[in-house]
């Protein structure tokens, strides 16, 4: 059966080969926080900053995940778990391809974030707490969701009738009611730059 054995002329491409090609080290930045705390705003500004600084990053958020691959999932405990499982698996694929992902999801409980961390791997998972008081998030009410949650039109909304557990030991915490978006981006970028540089 030797005719079926292809000559091995090179080893399989590794993550490190792809990272070298992109001149970076891939990581998963995991932004957690209440709805309206500023995760997506910061993730998008950070993506732009990283691009300008020569890094290759991709935001994963509700807009490109919940509306696409996860559009069959709701907000029950099981569906939130499945939502995060798929996101973490996608982030892991990006990781293997050398791309940095900026994951912007409420991911409200320690259990759910630990689940993501266990899929991605401790060494590559950087937890960033985007923190703003509930009153601030509710006053911003970017998508009108808090009003709907208060009126009962949405059930199980994080911060209203579903708990949010703050991370105990995040790599970075940003208080968005005390910092501008630019300051937040600068703080995160300065922290990750040495980690993602070759
Ligand atoms: P999330 O993704 O956490 O649900 P968004 O980024 O969609 O939150 O919304 C946050 C809102 O708060 C935006 O309207 C943004 O302009 C505003 N905002 C005010 N100050 C900040 C800040 N320092 N960082 C991030 N967002 C801020």
């Amino acid at each position: 059966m030797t005719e079926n054995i292809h000559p091995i002329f090179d080893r399989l491409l590794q993550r490190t080969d792809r990272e070298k090609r992109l001149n970076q080290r891939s990581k998963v930045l995991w932004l957690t926080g209440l709805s309206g705390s500023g995760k997506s705003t910061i993730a998008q500004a950070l993506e732009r900053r990283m691009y300008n600084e020569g890094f290759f990053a991709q935001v994963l958020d509700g807009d490109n995940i919940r509306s696409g691959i996860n559009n069959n999932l709701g907000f029950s405990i099981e569906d939130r778990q499945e939502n995060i499982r798929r996101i973490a698996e996608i982030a892991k694929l990006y990781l293997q391809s050398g791309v940095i992902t900026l994951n912007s999801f409420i991911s409200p409980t320690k259990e759910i974030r630990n689940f993501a961390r266990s899929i991605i791997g401790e060494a590559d998972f950087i937890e960033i707490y985007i923190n703003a008081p509930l009153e601030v998030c509710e006053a911003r009410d970017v998508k009108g969701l808090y009003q709907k949650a208060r009126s009962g039109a949405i059930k199980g909304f994080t911060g209203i009738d579903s708990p949010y557990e703050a991370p105990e030991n995040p790599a970075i915490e940003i208080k968005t009611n005390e910092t501008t978006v630019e300051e937040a981006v600068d703080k995160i970028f300065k922290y990750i730059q040495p980690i993602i540089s070759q």
Side-chain angles (χ1 to χ4, degrees), residues 34-42 104 140 142-143 176-177 179-181:
L34 291 170
S35 177
S37 60
K39 300 179 296 298
S40 289
T41 304
I42 291 171
S104 164
R140 287 176 182 162
V142 192
K143 298 170 195 148
T176 64
N177 60 329
T179 46
T180 64
V181 176

Side-chain angles (χ1 to χ4, degrees), residues 136-155:
V136 172
C137 296
E138 195 167 354
R140 287 176 182 162
D141 210 5
V142 192
K143 298 170 195 148
L145 296 175
Y146 282 97
Q147 208 179 359
K148 285 189 184 159
R150 287 289 184 200
S151 72
I154 302 176
K155 299 258 180 283

